[in-house]
Amino acid sequence: MTEWLDVRFDHIRRAADIISQGGIVAFGTETVYGLGGLARSRSAISRIYSAKGRPSFNPLISHFASAEDAFREADLACPLGTTARDLAARFWPGPLTLILPRHPESRICDSVSAALPTLALRVPRGRAVQELLRLVNAPVAAPSANRSGRVSPSCAAHVREELEGRIDAILDTGPCIVGLESTVLDLSGEKPRLLRPGGLTRDALETLIGPIEQVAPLAPDDHSPLSPGQLSSHYAPTLPLRLEAERPDNHEAWLGFGPSEFTLSDRPSWNLSLTADLGEAAARLYAGLRYLDEEGLKKGCTSIAVQHLPTEGLGDAIMDRLKRAAAPRPLLRE
Ligand code: TXA
Ligand code: MG
């Protein structure tokens, strides 16, 4: 049975107790909902992988209430240790995940990092998640709370649709404000590398630390564990996507951006932002993909046509997710 909890303090405490006792709980962050368990518990981590149906070569992010807690798990004597401290001081709590060499004494399970010598560390923003992490007072590993390869959840109802009965509790902290996963930045080498564009823009990062190298997505059948989040098919609805469409054809649902030129009476449509605001578009993206997929299938649509979006600012991460959703599907995803 999956317990349904809301943001009352005693419910946050209940969620923290379940996690502390080795259970797994979905909770909201500013980016998307995560499915959390103790990063030091092999059994909790193995339950997370199996609830999601996630392949074990794809490592998890560990979440902390503060940068101080997060950096205890990392070896900051690495070449980019100072960069990590600068970024944390400026952007944590917030939608940024840092990949750093693991501290030799870190007790985070090997299964969290898929046996890599690095760890993914994040301090999320949001009162409920901060309170939860403070109460647990130990690293909490949490992938996005969706079935592997599917669209990430940006509200608690999305989590319930996919994981009810497979996890111990859902803490409903309301809709996620950012709506896209965190930006993943690799600081484990000599130069910063962007592994996943996300809720914090590249511009914001580069203003502080200078140019960042972008890592190209892996081919769909490449299972290399080096930058696993780069798999090209990911975040996928059931219906195929057609990008850069000018208008939907007769059998397509429509994902629009900006002032609308037409309405569809017989097929579903969703506008990401009538005022062409990329922040609003990011926050509405996953709910829109879920809606169009569900309603489009009911109405016999063959695909989802997607209007052109700019690629500056958050548009970079939005287009990254749309391209992955449109990529050919491998047998094994995420
Ligand atoms: O916003 C987010 O990041 C959300 C919330 C819940 O925090 N979490 C999230 O987790 O999106 P997930 O598991 O869906 O994505 C984590 C990404 C994956 O692409 C994974 O491959 C990458 O981080 N990752 C984790 N550990 C890594 C490591 N040691 N080296 C390289 N990539 C890593
Ligand atoms: Mg995910």
Side-chain angles (χ1 to χ4, degrees):
M1 238 250 325
T2 300
E3 275 180 58
W4 187 266
L5 305 168
D6 59 30
V7 284
R8 290 183 355 220
F9 179 74
D10 55 328
H11 281 187
I12 298 176
R13 179 174 287 286
R14 169 82 188 131
D17 287 346
I18 296 173
I19 292 176
S20 300
Q21 288 156 19
I24 57 173
V25 177
F27 53 83
T29 75
E30 81 282 35
T31 58
V32 297
Y33 272 70
L35 174 59
L38 287 181
R40 294 177 185 147
S41 159
R42 285 229 310 269
S43 63
I45 300 312
S46 120
R47 280 192 65 205
I48 289 176
Y49 277 100
S50 65
K52 279 182 62 87
R54 177 169 174 127
S56 58
F57 60 78
N58 194 4
L60 312 181
I61 299 173
S62 295
H63 296 67
F64 303 84
S66 68
E68 197 191 342
D69 290 348
F71 287 155
R72 245 179 247 132
E73 307 296 325
D75 181 2
L76 287 189
C78 62
L80 295 176
T82 312
T83 307
R85 285 192 197 284
D86 292 346
L87 286 165
R90 174 77 180 80
F91 296 116
W92 277 351
L96 173 67
T97 294
L98 299 178
I99 309 291
L100 286 162
R102 163 199 278 273
H103 193 281
E105 277 165 32
S106 167
R107 289 188 291 122
I108 288 179
C109 297
D110 265 0
S111 50
V112 168
S113 55
L116 293 169
T118 52
L119 291 173
L121 308 174
R122 164 158 143 76
V123 178
R125 194 168 68 210
R127 277 177 56 196
V129 67
Q130 277 280 323
E131 190 63 49
L132 178 71
L133 293 169
R134 259 195 299 275
L135 288 168
V136 174
N137 197 23
V140 172
S144 51
N146 51 283
R147 298 292 282 268
S148 187
R150 312 302 305 181
V151 175
S152 293
S154 52
C155 68
H158 297 163
V159 179
R160 178 151 63 180
E161 282 161 26
E162 291 188 11
L163 294 176
E164 170 118 73
R166 304 174 72 88
I167 63 179
D168 298 316
I170 298 172
L171 179 64
D172 181 358
T173 52
C176 301
I177 292 169
V178 174
L180 288 177
E181 299 83 351
S182 61
T183 301
V184 180
L185 187 68
D186 182 2
L187 298 179
S188 65
E190 299 286 328
K191 288 186 188 156
R193 297 189 317 149
L194 188 66
L195 297 186
R196 177 175 76 179
L200 184 66
T201 63
R202 170 198 275 267
D203 283 355
L205 291 168
E206 289 187 333
T207 306
L208 191 71
I209 63 167
I212 297 170
E213 188 188 327
Q214 164 106 50
V215 177
L218 294 179
D221 56 353
D222 189 336
H223 292 166
S224 150
L226 287 177
S227 45
Q230 296 300 101
L231 295 191
S232 61
S233 171
H234 200 92
Y235 312 100
T238 309
L239 285 174
L241 262 65
R242 184 167 71 85
L243 302 185
E244 303 291 339
E246 274 176 22
R247 52 178 52 246
D249 72 22
N250 289 341
H251 299 286
E252 286 182 319
W254 177 243
L255 185 64
F257 175 76
S260 180
E261 286 167 30
F262 50 84
T263 48
L264 297 176
S265 52
D266 54 340
R267 282 163 288 143
S269 67
W270 181 277
N271 197 294
L272 290 170
S273 169
L274 282 168
T275 56
D277 176 310
L278 286 166
E280 184 183 26
R284 286 171 54 76
L285 177 68
Y286 290 144
L289 285 176
R290 277 170 192 267
Y291 168 77
L292 293 177
D293 201 29
E294 210 176 295
E295 291 303 307
L297 283 168
K298 278 190 212 152
K299 299 262 162 63
C301 293
T302 52
S303 52
I304 301 170
V306 183
Q307 193 170 3
H308 170 80
L309 274 103
T311 50
E312 78 255 12
L314 281 175
D316 183 28
I318 297 173
M319 280 314 295
D320 171 80
R321 303 307 187 266
L322 287 169
K323 280 184 194 154
R324 290 179 199 231
R329 317 276 161 87
L331 288 175
L332 200 54
R333 286 195 295 240
E334 191 168 9

